[in-house]
Amino acid sequence: MIPSIWETSTFEEKVGEENRRMMWTFQDKGDREVCLIPEVTGIVQEMWRQEWSKTAGRMDIFYMQRCYRYERPQRGRYREFTQVGVEMLGTRDAGPAKALLKECLDGFGVDYRFEDGVRRGLNYYVADGFEASVDSLGAQRQVAGGGAYAEGVGWAIGVDRLMLALA
């Protein structure tokens, strides 16, 4: 389980200026800058660099995590939301990650459009990423996204939007 409160510094450079403004940040009792996590990949990258890579050449992880954003709630874009994701660490081969994402979405039976070569809004990606969208959701149509970063490749599905797409 990934903690919901984490050091703000993990995300400051990774999430970009627009997303940084949407973070719930505060000082804890030890006077440290912390936040309610806006996403999981940044934490996984840090853990891989600091710990996991020292004992494993490759590692695949699955997570389901509550994440948070500071902005006006709207349909399909909430202050608290759930992500289900996969991180394949120690490789940058996005092929298996894309195939697994498509398999998951096909398993739910959602009518989605998969786009490759998408410019993602997070600074840690080393190449253009990929997204899955459900056009019937309107402005908040992206239900999944991912790509390659220095430590690996991964993706996340927005469970709240996926549920709207299935309704």
Side-chain angles (χ1 to χ4, degrees):
M1 181 71 134
I2 302 290
S4 293
I5 297 175
W6 199 262
E7 294 85 9
T8 303
S9 61
T10 298
F11 302 101
E12 285 180 329
E13 294 300 318
K14 293 178 168 100
V15 299
E17 182 58 37
E18 180 182 341
N19 290 325
R20 190 175 15 253
R21 288 192 309 266
M22 291 187 283
M23 288 174 49
W24 289 89
T25 60
F26 52 95
Q27 290 187 325
D28 69 4
K29 291 180 179 182
D31 212 26
R32 295 169 293 218
E33 282 291 320
V34 296
C35 65
L36 295 175
I37 65 169
E39 55 94 32
V40 175
T41 302
I43 295 171
V44 170
Q45 289 173 315
E46 192 171 277
M47 297 298 293
W48 176 256
R49 280 191 315 275
Q50 293 176 0
E51 297 176 32
W52 300 336
S53 65
K54 292 171 178 50
T55 59
R58 235 186 109 347
M59 176 187 281
D60 296 343
I61 65 167
F62 164 83
Y63 64 86
M64 185 166 74
Q65 180 68 41
R66 301 294 282 172
C67 298
Y68 305 86
R69 69 171 67 90
Y70 184 81
E71 68 175 348
R72 184 180 58 83
Q74 39 191 311
R75 185 177 185 267
R77 192 161 176 91
Y78 309 116
R79 287 186 172 171
E80 183 177 12
F81 57 99
T82 302
Q83 286 186 345
V84 169
V86 167
E87 306 292 344
M88 298 175 170
L89 301 160
T91 181
R92 284 198 198 159
D93 181 4
K98 292 176 192 178
L100 183 58
L101 174 58
K102 290 175 183 178
E103 185 179 335
C104 287
L105 293 172
D106 290 343
F108 285 111
V110 65
D111 184 23
Y112 66 93
R113 180 173 33 90
F114 189 85
E115 294 180 72
D116 211 349
V118 175
R119 184 107 174 116
R120 305 278 297 140
L122 299 168
N123 293 341
Y124 50 71
Y125 288 112
V126 296
D128 288 343
F130 48 90
E131 294 180 349
S133 301
V134 176
D135 291 332
S136 64
L137 293 178
Q140 304 300 331
R141 66 180 150 272
Q142 182 189 338
V143 295
Y149 46 87
E151 299 80 4
V153 60
W155 53 260
I157 295 173
V159 174
D160 305 277
R161 288 190 194 166
L162 181 63
M163 297 308 291
L164 287 173
L166 292 170

